[in-house]
Amino acid sequence: MLCDLKDKFLNSIDILIKNLSSLPGIGKKSAARIAYYLLKTDKNYIHAFTNSICDAVEKIKNCKICGNYTESEICEICSDTMREKNIICVVEMPQDIAVIEATGIFNGQYHVLMGHISPIEGIGPDQINIKQLLQRLDKENISEIIIATNPSVEGDTTALYIQKLLAGKNIKMTKLASGLPVGGDLEYTDKLTLMRSIQGRLPL
Amino acid sequence: MLCDLKDKFLNSIDILIKNLSSLPGIGKKSAARIAYYLLKTDKNYIHAFTNSICDAVEKIKNCKICGNYTESEICEICSDTMREKNIICVVEMPQDIAVIEATGIFNGQYHVLMGHISPIEGIGPDQINIKQLLQRLDKENISEIIIATNPSVEGDTTALYIQKLLAGKNIKMTKLASGLPVGGDLEYTDKLTLMRSIQGRLPL
């Protein structure tokens, strides 16, 4: 992935550009732009910048309860006594928590699956944190589970699997509404989204 | 620019996202995506990645002759005996050299100004490597100078300044042609580009 044989003939700018372009969303041109920016920048900045990468990678671990990224054993959300304890929102990745928290509308607990079920990628239910979710349901007093997996084939499969798994238990199960994005245009909405939006139509 | 007082209350992911979003072309969302990607990545990769940044910043310096980035005293292009010695292409930044080299059409020398004249930013002719260009013209036997500054107000100002400065000398001066980009559409070309394209029309 990184330094192979060919790299012996590359200079340090080329290696830097190659490494930067392996980051998600960064093409070769953006990588070159960032590399030349870094070369022009103050050395103290570079030091702080590389340190912040190593720092995050060293310090951040998964919360023992929900799986969210945290610097402590238990994450801020799980240890917050002001949050509702009887409702869990199940998400695929820790970054999904940040997005939901930004809305400010949810005040319950989270559970991070760290992935989704995907037979193509060889990821079954045992490879993601579903067992841990079941253990939490035994220990904690949960009345509602919101399944907030991505609206993709894998996300929907995962949601369906969890739904069937918990069917016998006396827990209210919900999932995020699918439909028109706010500010979107009916004319340009894809068929599947519009279909779900009609199926999930709300009373006025 | 980096860690201010407020950062004491940020965790290491937030600091990493903040630092990443200060890179050119990286917004807050891309920064978050990269940060979460780095957290998931193998630690050896992180080590190689941060090392490649420090390595480039440590090793890369400006060529003593042309100002290009190099790991040696003299850059590869200046020390290449197979290249034409009597023609200099003047560019604003070292990254411009990489782009021109990629065309494979130019086989002469370069001179990097490390910027452009910009009264608004307080950059005068003395702040960029124009003096070094004059010194080269005294020492080296140059018959043509191609001015390849950016087609912007600052680039054009810099080109004009150099043109006037060298007016007395017996050196052929050229600049890059301005006009329609290949694959572009006449209908959507901006007025100024089309104007220059008409002014610089070529015989068939």
Side-chain angles (χ1 to χ4, degrees):
Chain A
M1 185 173 186
L2 274 175
C3 300
D4 51 24
L5 255 176
K6 251 176 31 196
D7 287 356
K8 287 195 177 164
F9 304 105
L10 294 179
N11 70 23
S12 46
I13 299 183
D14 295 328
I15 293 174
L16 177 57
I17 292 176
K18 198 178 160 202
N19 286 350
L20 285 169
S21 63
S22 71
L23 296 176
I26 306 289
K28 219 180 153 218
K29 286 213 167 176
S30 309
R33 194 173 163 208
I34 295 172
Y36 285 112
Y37 169 83
L38 290 173
L39 286 175
K40 268 197 317 182
T41 314
D42 176 45
K43 287 207 176 170
N44 289 330
Y45 173 85
I46 298 294
H47 189 71
F49 177 69
T50 52
N51 265 5
S52 70
I53 297 175
C54 299
D55 231 46
V57 173
E58 288 296 324
K59 284 186 191 164
I60 297 294
K61 45 197 169 194
N62 293 99
C63 167
K64 294 239 163 160
I65 297 176
C66 73
N68 186 14
Y69 286 142
T70 172
E71 289 184 19
S72 330
E73 292 292 294
I74 309 294
C75 77
E76 277 178 29
I77 294 173
C78 287
S79 50
D80 185 347
T81 53
M82 299 296 286
R83 295 184 73 109
E84 295 172 39
K85 293 288 178 193
N86 60 336
I87 178 165
I88 291 182
C89 178
V90 178
V91 295
E92 291 184 20
M93 295 302 292
Q95 49 266 50
D96 301 330
I97 294 183
V99 187
I100 296 175
E101 283 299 290
T103 68
I105 212 169
F106 179 70
N107 194 35
Q109 306 298 308
Y110 288 97
H111 187 81
V112 183
L113 297 173
M114 289 307 275
H116 47 228
I117 296 172
S118 169
I120 293 174
E121 297 168 62
I123 304 169
D126 296 340
Q127 269 94 57
I128 60 174
N129 297 339
I130 289 183
K131 206 175 66 191
Q132 290 83 337
L133 178 63
L134 292 178
Q135 287 165 353
R136 285 184 72 180
L137 295 182
D138 287 340
K139 273 189 252 167
E140 301 171 36
N141 184 24
I142 305 298
S143 59
E144 180 176 351
I145 287 187
I146 303 173
I147 300 181
T149 50
N150 285 320
S152 61
V153 176
E154 292 85 0
D156 287 346
T157 308
T158 312
L160 197 68
Y161 182 87
I162 297 174
Q163 188 194 335
K164 289 199 169 168
L165 204 66
L166 306 183
K169 298 186 193 273
N170 186 25
I171 297 173
K172 184 180 169 192
M173 301 244 301
T174 53
K175 66 168 190 165
L176 294 188
S178 231
L180 302 178
V182 179
D185 208 321
L186 205 77
E187 187 181 351
Y188 300 115
T189 306
D190 67 292
K191 218 160 52 179
L192 205 63
T193 301
L194 196 54
M195 234 166 72
R196 289 201 182 180
S197 175
I198 295 170
Q199 284 167 343
R201 65 192 178 278
L202 301 167
L204 284 176
Chain B
M1 186 173 185
L2 274 177
C3 300
D4 50 27
L5 255 178
K6 253 180 21 199
D7 287 355
K8 285 194 179 165
F9 305 104
L10 294 178
N11 70 23
S12 46
I13 298 182
D14 295 328
I15 294 173
L16 176 58
I17 292 175
K18 199 179 162 202
N19 286 350
L20 285 168
S21 64
S22 71
L23 296 175
I26 306 288
K28 221 183 150 214
K29 287 214 168 179
S30 311
R33 194 174 164 206
I34 295 172
Y36 284 111
Y37 169 83
L38 290 173
L39 285 175
K40 270 196 317 181
T41 315
D42 177 45
K43 289 208 177 170
N44 289 329
Y45 173 85
I46 298 293
H47 188 71
F49 178 70
T50 52
N51 265 6
S52 71
I53 296 175
C54 299
D55 231 47
V57 174
E58 287 297 323
K59 284 186 190 163
I60 297 294
K61 47 198 167 189
N62 294 99
C63 168
K64 294 239 163 160
I65 297 175
C66 72
N68 187 14
Y69 286 141
T70 172
E71 291 184 18
S72 331
E73 292 292 293
I74 308 295
C75 77
E76 277 178 28
I77 294 173
C78 286
S79 50
D80 185 347
T81 52
M82 298 297 285
R83 296 185 72 110
E84 295 171 40
K85 294 288 179 195
N86 59 337
I87 178 165
I88 291 183
C89 178
V90 178
V91 295
E92 290 184 19
M93 296 301 293
Q95 49 265 51
D96 301 330
I97 293 182
V99 187
I100 296 174
E101 283 299 289
T103 68
I105 211 169
F106 179 72
N107 195 36
Q109 307 298 308
Y110 288 98
H111 187 80
V112 183
L113 298 174
M114 288 308 276
H116 48 227
I117 296 172
S118 169
I120 292 173
E121 298 167 61
I123 305 168
D126 295 340
Q127 269 95 56
I128 60 175
N129 296 339
I130 290 183
K131 204 176 66 191
Q132 289 84 336
L133 177 64
L134 292 179
Q135 286 166 353
R136 283 183 73 179
L137 296 182
D138 287 340
K139 272 188 251 165
E140 300 171 36
N141 184 24
I142 305 298
S143 58
E144 180 176 352
I145 286 187
I146 304 174
I147 300 182
T149 50
N150 285 320
S152 61
V153 176
E154 292 84 2
D156 287 346
T157 308
T158 312
L160 197 67
Y161 182 87
I162 296 174
Q163 188 193 337
K164 289 200 171 168
L165 202 65
L166 306 183
K169 298 187 193 275
N170 186 25
I171 297 174
K172 184 181 169 189
M173 301 245 300
T174 53
K175 67 168 189 165
L176 294 188
S178 232
L180 302 178
V182 178
D185 206 323
L186 205 77
E187 186 182 351
Y188 301 114
T189 306
D190 67 291
K191 218 160 55 179
L192 204 64
T193 301
L194 196 54
M195 233 167 73
R196 289 203 183 176
S197 176
I198 295 169
Q199 284 168 342
R201 65 192 179 279
L202 300 168
L204 284 175

